[in-house]
Amino acid sequence: MKSTLFISTLLIIFSSSPMCYAAEHNNIVKKEAYILLDKKGKPNSKAARCATIQQSGLTWELKTDDDGIHDKDNVYRWGGMGAEKTGAIFFDDWNTLLNAANREKLCGFNDWRVPTIDELKTLVTNTAIKPVVNPEIFPLTQSLPYWSTSTYQNYPEHAQTVDFSTGASNYYNGFRGDRLPLRLVRGDKTK
């Protein structure tokens, strides 16, 4: 009885927390628990620089609107540290962002990387609503395809992306020479 009361109390507290998101669409409620972190890695929803999605265990870079290295408008050609080494077209544009994030220990971490396509797809919350990424967690997300490190075997001059205006995951909208945004991630790739 005590454990049930304790769990119920925790659920009420957790559900009312500003760090818990619930979206309702077509009578289906999807809860996406997350923790917003400041630049030093302390929980802080007012000065958030990163978000940890509890279901995946991944921590994501939050974009800024200050013309700095994490600015939402920064775009990159495909390639750099962590990119799959296939095909002949390869750039190292995103290394500047990666090196800066790891050097500054963004949110207390120095193991930032560009996500795989499967990790990037976890940010799509519901393709029936727009935007398809949670705007409470990721308010400065562009309605554009975002790079992943994943290539597309049949078209080696392309790489895989997720378009956050539609939720589509494609290879054809990611010609490696295109300049597209990306969002850094950290955490275990195997989860």
Side-chain angles (χ1 to χ4, degrees):
M1 180 71 172
K2 286 183 181 180
S3 64
T4 305
L5 180 59
F6 177 72
I7 291 170
S8 297
T9 304
L10 282 178
L11 287 173
I12 291 168
I13 292 168
F14 183 71
S15 296
S16 63
S17 165
M19 295 181 195
C20 181
Y21 169 72
E24 186 171 341
H25 184 74
N26 294 336
N27 299 324
I28 298 171
V29 175
K30 177 183 179 183
K31 289 201 183 236
E32 185 176 66
Y34 59 95
I35 299 170
L36 297 174
L37 306 171
D38 67 15
K39 66 181 181 178
K40 293 187 178 188
K42 305 243 187 274
N44 186 335
S45 61
K46 301 258 188 253
R49 296 296 309 279
C50 303
T52 299
I53 308 299
Q54 293 184 352
Q55 182 178 0
S56 68
L58 297 172
T59 300
W60 295 90
E61 167 204 29
L62 297 181
K63 293 300 183 179
T64 62
D65 193 12
D66 60 4
D67 295 324
I69 192 72
H70 302 284
D71 193 88
K72 67 180 176 54
D73 296 318
N74 293 344
V75 291
Y76 312 86
R77 294 172 297 177
W78 187 88
M81 292 182 289
E84 292 179 0
K85 307 281 192 225
T86 62
I89 301 172
F90 193 83
F91 302 94
D92 65 357
D93 290 9
W94 66 47
N95 288 349
T96 303
L97 174 60
L98 269 172
N99 288 330
N102 287 321
R103 194 172 36 255
E104 74 179 89
K105 292 189 176 180
L106 178 63
C107 298
F109 303 108
N110 65 354
D111 59 349
W112 291 98
R113 58 188 170 75
V114 177
T116 66
I117 191 63
D118 291 332
E119 290 169 331
L120 197 57
K121 287 193 275 189
T122 67
L123 295 182
V124 175
T125 57
N126 188 335
T127 57
I129 57 174
K130 304 298 180 224
V132 300
V133 65
N134 182 341
E136 289 182 28
I137 305 173
F138 303 105
L140 297 175
T141 300
Q142 299 295 312
S143 294
L144 295 167
Y146 276 62
W147 286 125
S148 77
T149 58
S150 307
T151 60
Y152 190 72
Q153 202 169 15
N154 296 334
Y155 296 93
E157 69 277 5
H158 290 78
Q160 294 190 56
T161 62
V162 172
D163 187 327
F164 289 116
S165 65
T166 65
S169 173
N170 298 309
Y171 64 88
Y172 53 84
N173 60 6
F175 174 70
R176 293 182 183 190
D178 290 346
R179 294 180 183 275
L180 298 175
L182 61 86
R183 183 180 304 280
L184 298 179
V185 70
R186 65 157 309 275
D188 189 356
K189 286 184 183 184
T190 61
K191 284 188 178 182

